[in-house]
Amino acid sequence: MSNKAKLTVGGKEYEFPLVKGSEEEVAIDIKSLRSVTGGITTLDPGFKNTSSCESAITFLDGEKGILRYRGYSIEDLAEKASFLGVVYLLIFGDLPTEEQLAVFHADIKSKSVVDDDIKKILDAFPKSAHPMGVLSSLTSALTAFNPASVDVSSAEAMYNTVVKILGKFPVLVAWTMRKKQGLPLDYGDNTLGYVENLLKMMFKQPNEEYVPNPIVINALDKLLILHADHEQNCSTSTVRVVGSSHAGLFASISAGISALWGPLHGGANQAVLEMLEAIREDGGDTKKYMAKAKDSNDPFRLMGFGHRVYKNFDPRARIIKVAADEVLADLGIEDPILDIAKALEQEALQDDYFVQRKLYPNVDFYSGIIYRAMGIPVDMFTVMFALGRLPGWIAQWKEMRNKKEPIGRPRQVYTGSNQRSF
Ligand code: ACO
C-alpha cells in the first residue's frame, strides 16, 4: 500500500501521509489539511471516523472483539492480575514488581485522607441527588483543597497528583453512598487492600464489625479491571480535552464523571437494571420488549446492547456473564432478572434486527446484576464504573500532558444565517 492518501477538491490534488499503528491500523494524517487547502476541514459528528490522538495505552479491535491494556489481553488480566496491578500497568506502562506495587500502594494510602470540610459540601446536597452528580462535584472540589495538584511540571509532581486522586477517590465514592443512606462518614483502613478497603468504607455499619467477604472482593476486583480503560470513549475523550487546556487532573476527572453519567455511556449499567426490573414487573415478557426495541417509532432501546466500536461480542461482557453466574452461585442468590437478561440475550443474538446491526451485549449488560448481588444500590452502579475507569482516565490524561498535545478545539461547518443588519 502507498504511504500517501490523495484528495482531490475542485480539480486540485493534495497528498497526505498515512500513519500506521502498532497493530497495522491506518489513519490519514490530515494535520496540514486546512493550511494546504486554504481552509477545508473534515466533518465527522460523533467522531465516528476520527482518531483524536496516538496512544500507547489500550488497543481494541471492535470487529474481532479484542481488548488489551498495554499489550496484555483483558482475559489474562481479569484472570491473573489485581486491580491495583492493572492501575499501575495502565499509568506507568508495565506490570509492577511486588516491591513496586507495595511502594505504589503505600504512597496511595499516605494520600488517602480527604479534608473533613468536604463533608460540608456533601451536607448541602439533597438526599435525592444522583450520586454521579455528587461525585463529580466532590472530585472537582478536591482541587480547592489541594491546589498544588494542578502543577504536574515534574515527574515527581505528576506522581503526587496521581497517587492523591487514587487515594481520595474511594473515600469520595464511599461518602457519596453513605451520606444518602444516613450512615456516618469515615476514613479507610490502611491495613487493607485497595478494593477491600473500599468495600469496608462503603459497607461498615456503625454498630457492627466489618467482616470481609472474599467472593465479593474478588468479584469487584475483576469488575474494576474490566472497566479500567477503553481508549478514546466519550468520558476519556472528555478527560483528555478538558486536560488539554491544562486544567488540573481532578477537574478533568470531574468532567469525565459527568460524561460517564449519561445512559448512552456508563449510565447504561443503571439503565439496564431498571429495564430488567421493569420487564420483570410487567410479567417478564421479553418478546414484547424486543419488539419495542426494534420499533423505530418507539424510543425504547435494549439497554446494554450495542456499542460504538464493538461490532462483535464485547469481550468484557463474556467475562462478566460468567462472573455473574459464579458470584450469584457463590453468594447463594437466585435473581430472576438474571434469567430475563439471559433470555433477552438469546433472543437478540438470533434476531435479524440485532444481527444485521451487529448489536451484541456490552460490558454493562451483566455488571448491574453482580453489583446488585453485592448489595450496591442501583444509583451507585455508574459510580462503581467511574471508580474502575479512574486509572484509564489518569493514564490517558498523563499521556496527553507528557506528549504536550495541543488544546482540543474542533472546527465546525457553520449553517446559520448570513450577516443580517440589526
Ligand atoms: N436497541 C435497539 N436498537 C439499537 C440499539 C439498542 N440498544 N443500539 C443501536 N440500535 C440501532 C439504532 O437504532 C440504529 O438503527 P438504524 O440503523 O435502523 O437507525 C443502529 O442500531 C445503529 O445505532 P447507533 O445509535 O447509530 O449506533 P451508535 O454507535 O451511535 O451508538 C450506542 C452506540 C450509544 C452504545 C447504542 O448502541 C445504544 O444506545 N445502546 C444502548 C445504551 C448502552 O448500552 N450504552 C452502553 C455502551 S457501553 C459503554 O459506554 C460503557
Side-chain angles (χ1 to χ4, degrees), residues 4-17 28 32-40:
K4 296 237 184 297
K6 284 189 182 148
L7 176 72
T8 309
V9 188
K12 270 194 175 175
E13 194 170 271
Y14 305 94
E15 278 195 339
F16 297 95
I28 304 169
S32 63
L33 179 67
R34 281 191 74 249
S35 59
V36 298
T37 60
I40 293 176

Side-chain angles (χ1 to χ4, degrees), residues 48 263-266 268 293 301-308 311 353-354 357 359 362-364 385:
K48 291 192 178 196
L264 299 190
H265 190 15
R301 279 191 166 195
L302 198 55
M303 299 313 288
F305 261 76
H307 197 280
R308 170 59 61 78
K311 303 302 167 198
Y353 174 96
F354 285 84
R357 288 169 181 77
L359 300 170
N362 60 49
V363 67
D364 287 326
F385 189 157

Side-chain angles (χ1 to χ4, degrees), residues 32-88:
S32 63
L33 179 67
R34 281 191 74 249
S35 59
V36 298
T37 60
I40 293 176
T41 61
T42 54
L43 177 64
D44 187 19
F47 311 121
K48 291 192 178 196
N49 305 282
T50 298
S51 294
S52 62
C53 60
E54 291 175 71
S55 177
I57 302 169
T58 289
F59 171 70
L60 88 80
D61 181 329
E63 266 70 36
K64 295 192 185 130
I66 295 173
L67 174 62
R68 296 186 203 128
Y69 302 158
R70 302 281 190 185
Y72 296 100
S73 77
I74 193 66
E75 290 81 6
D76 269 355
L77 292 170
E79 192 190 327
K80 298 169 190 159
S82 69
F83 176 60
L84 203 59
V86 169
V87 172
Y88 187 99

Side-chain angles (χ1 to χ4, degrees), residues 88-264:
Y88 187 99
L89 171 72
L90 283 168
I91 297 174
F92 302 110
D94 289 304
L95 285 168
T97 61
E98 260 179 47
E99 196 191 336
Q100 284 169 327
L101 191 60
V103 171
F104 184 48
H105 194 190
D107 291 338
I108 291 171
K109 287 189 278 198
S110 75
K111 305 285 184 206
S112 63
V113 174
V114 170
D115 195 301
D116 222 50
D117 277 350
I118 291 250
K119 290 179 183 166
K120 292 184 191 152
I121 302 175
L122 204 47
D123 275 341
F125 283 98
K127 275 219 167 85
S128 58
H130 193 282
M132 284 296 275
V134 176
L135 184 67
S136 172
S137 305
L138 298 186
T139 306
S140 184
L142 279 182
T143 311
F145 293 90
N146 300 271
S149 65
V150 177
D151 173 19
V152 289
S153 50
S154 68
E156 192 192 353
M158 173 69 88
Y159 182 79
N160 281 334
T161 295
V162 166
V163 291
K164 262 187 195 163
I165 188 76
L166 285 165
K168 296 177 199 306
F169 200 72
V171 181
L172 301 185
V173 165
W175 284 6
T176 299
M177 186 185 96
R178 291 177 74 94
K179 181 74 188 172
K180 219 174 150 93
Q181 297 176 338
L183 289 168
L185 310 181
D186 215 342
Y187 288 91
D189 179 343
N190 275 353
T191 64
L192 303 178
Y194 192 77
V195 173
E196 187 178 354
N197 183 35
L198 166 78
L199 285 166
K200 182 174 175 185
M201 281 195 288
M202 288 173 79
F203 292 114
K204 164 129 186 31
Q205 294 300 309
N207 50 354
E208 281 170 28
E209 199 185 330
Y210 173 76
V211 184
N213 182 334
I215 297 165
V216 172
I217 296 168
N218 287 337
L220 184 56
D221 204 89
K222 192 179 280 196
L223 273 182
L224 297 177
I225 291 173
L226 296 176
H227 285 90
D229 195 43
H230 212 235
E231 51 116 299
Q232 308 312 317
N233 56 84
C234 177
S235 57
T236 302
S237 298
T238 301
V239 170
R240 281 184 90 125
V241 170
V242 172
S244 75
S245 75
H246 292 196
L249 178 62
F250 306 162
S252 306
I253 286 176
S254 162
I257 296 167
S258 297
L260 188 72
W261 190 356
L264 299 190

Side-chain angles (χ1 to χ4, degrees), residues 214-340:
I215 297 165
V216 172
I217 296 168
N218 287 337
L220 184 56
D221 204 89
K222 192 179 280 196
L223 273 182
L224 297 177
I225 291 173
L226 296 176
H227 285 90
D229 195 43
H230 212 235
E231 51 116 299
Q232 308 312 317
N233 56 84
C234 177
S235 57
T236 302
S237 298
T238 301
V239 170
R240 281 184 90 125
V241 170
V242 172
S244 75
S245 75
H246 292 196
L249 178 62
F250 306 162
S252 306
I253 286 176
S254 162
I257 296 167
S258 297
L260 188 72
W261 190 356
L264 299 190
H265 190 15
N269 58 12
Q270 175 175 344
V272 168
L273 208 100
E274 286 166 353
M275 174 189 79
L276 294 174
E277 269 297 349
I279 297 175
R280 189 181 67 93
E281 277 168 23
D282 194 24
D285 184 356
T286 48
K287 295 207 166 49
K288 175 176 162 188
Y289 285 85
M290 286 290 292
K292 275 166 75 63
K294 294 189 286 182
D295 180 355
S296 57
N297 297 317
D298 189 325
F300 176 78
R301 279 191 166 195
L302 198 55
M303 299 313 288
F305 261 76
H307 197 280
R308 170 59 61 78
V309 290
Y310 288 120
K311 303 302 167 198
N312 197 326
F313 242 95
D314 179 339
R316 301 165 301 174
R318 281 189 206 277
I319 302 171
I320 291 187
K321 184 181 175 184
V322 176
D325 272 331
E326 284 170 4
V327 172
L328 263 59
D330 287 348
L331 296 175
I333 296 173
E334 274 182 31
D335 192 336
I337 66 165
L338 182 61
D339 297 332
I340 293 177

